[in-house]
Amino acid sequence: GAVVSQHPSWVICKSGTSVKIECRSLDFQATTMFWYRQFPKQSLMLMATSNEGSKATYEQGVEKDKFLINHASLTLSTLTVTSAHPEDSSFYICSARVGREGEAFFGQGTRLTVV
Amino acid sequence: LAKTTQPISMDSYEGQEVNITCSHNNIATNDYITWYQQFPSQGPRFIIQGYKTKVTNEVASLFIPADRKSSTLSLPRVSLSDTAVYYCLVVNSGGGADGLTFGKGTHLIIQP
């Protein structure tokens, strides 16, 4: 199947700093990628839809100025958590859908810890 | 979006067959059923997908009755490594540009 790769796998940052997470589609082009957030023992929650060459679409309750998404090429989407705070600590996962039926492939996730 | 309901948790033993049932009473004609597996600190992994009747691959089988209001994921001869969270999703066939909606999933625990 298609491969989606995230980097870094984990990151620790100080409160108030910004962190960038990269999501790459390695063997296919993705005009659309998705960003999810998962808190411990909870399910994945869709944060935003990243569209190549245009603005991202954010789910209700997700601050677009805090979670900056850039999808500058068909194989790369980035999520920047700006002015991170401890409550932003979570597992962030990106995904892309492939093919006519849109099978979804997920990255390995990024564990963000804000101290 | 069709809502899914599945057991919060299940226990079984190595070598047993495990069946996880998901109900999706409001499934639409253009929807199909997809199951994902997630290990701790990893992204979900596709297991199987189907529209009706039975689908089988090298990992699992998916049984879908005629009314499609439920589906059952069957894992044959489970091992300890099958301990994970399993998510049942109803996905619109024309929704390739849409994100997926995950329910709470079923935490499957396999014991020796």
Side-chain angles (χ1 to χ4, degrees):
Chain A
V3 178
V4 175
S5 178
Q6 267 181 259
H7 179 81
S9 297
W10 60 270
V11 57
I12 302 173
C13 71
K14 290 185 177 181
S15 187
T17 61
S18 296
V19 173
K20 179 185 286 187
I21 302 170
E22 294 185 348
C23 178
R24 296 180 184 273
S25 56
L26 297 186
D27 50 0
F28 66 100
Q29 294 182 332
T31 56
T32 303
M33 290 186 176
F34 307 94
W35 286 95
Y36 296 82
R37 180 169 53 182
Q38 186 175 32
F39 291 108
K41 298 189 183 302
Q42 295 189 23
S43 185
L44 285 78
M45 293 296 294
L46 179 65
M47 296 175 66
T49 300
S50 171
N51 303 299
E52 188 269 336
S54 65
K55 291 183 178 180
T57 304
Y58 292 83
E59 297 298 304
Q60 191 173 10
V62 178
E63 299 176 58
K64 63 179 182 180
D65 294 329
K66 181 168 186 60
F67 298 99
L68 300 180
I69 292 173
N70 183 281
H71 195 153
S73 77
L74 289 172
T75 59
L76 174 64
S77 174
T78 61
L79 169 69
T80 301
V81 183
T82 64
S83 186
H85 288 95
E87 57 264 31
D88 298 322
S89 297
S90 188
F91 192 55
Y92 292 87
I93 309 168
C94 70
S95 171
R97 297 183 68 176
V98 180
R100 188 174 65 88
E101 292 185 332
E103 181 178 335
F105 294 89
F106 292 83
Q108 65 267 47
T110 298
R111 173 77 57 193
L112 170 64
T113 303
V114 184
V115 297
Chain B
L1 293 172
K3 180 180 177 180
T4 60
T5 303
Q6 48 183 127
I8 295 295
S9 64
M10 293 181 66
D11 293 314
S12 189
Y13 294 90
E14 284 190 291
Q16 299 295 306
E17 176 184 85
V18 171
N19 297 308
I20 306 175
T21 297
C22 177
S23 62
H24 25 78
N25 292 317
N26 297 324
I27 191 169
T29 303
N30 293 335
D31 292 339
Y32 55 93
I33 298 119
T34 308
W35 285 79
Y36 285 86
Q37 175 192 55
Q38 186 183 27
F39 296 113
S41 296
Q42 293 187 28
R45 184 175 72 103
F46 172 86
I47 300 175
I48 198 166
Q49 173 178 294
Y51 185 79
K52 61 181 179 180
T53 62
K54 177 183 175 182
V55 179
T56 297
N57 61 23
E58 63 277 7
V59 177
S61 294
L62 179 59
F63 299 92
I64 306 168
D67 66 6
R68 304 202 323 125
K69 293 183 182 298
S70 67
S71 60
T72 299
L73 174 72
S74 181
L75 304 173
R77 296 182 299 280
V78 294
S79 63
L80 296 176
S81 62
D82 292 315
T83 294
V85 178
Y86 292 81
Y87 294 98
C88 163
L89 282 75
V90 171
V91 183
N92 187 276
S93 61
D98 298 334
L100 300 181
T101 300
F102 285 79
K104 296 183 185 301
T106 297
H107 188 190
L108 175 65
I109 299 172
I110 305 301
Q111 301 181 44

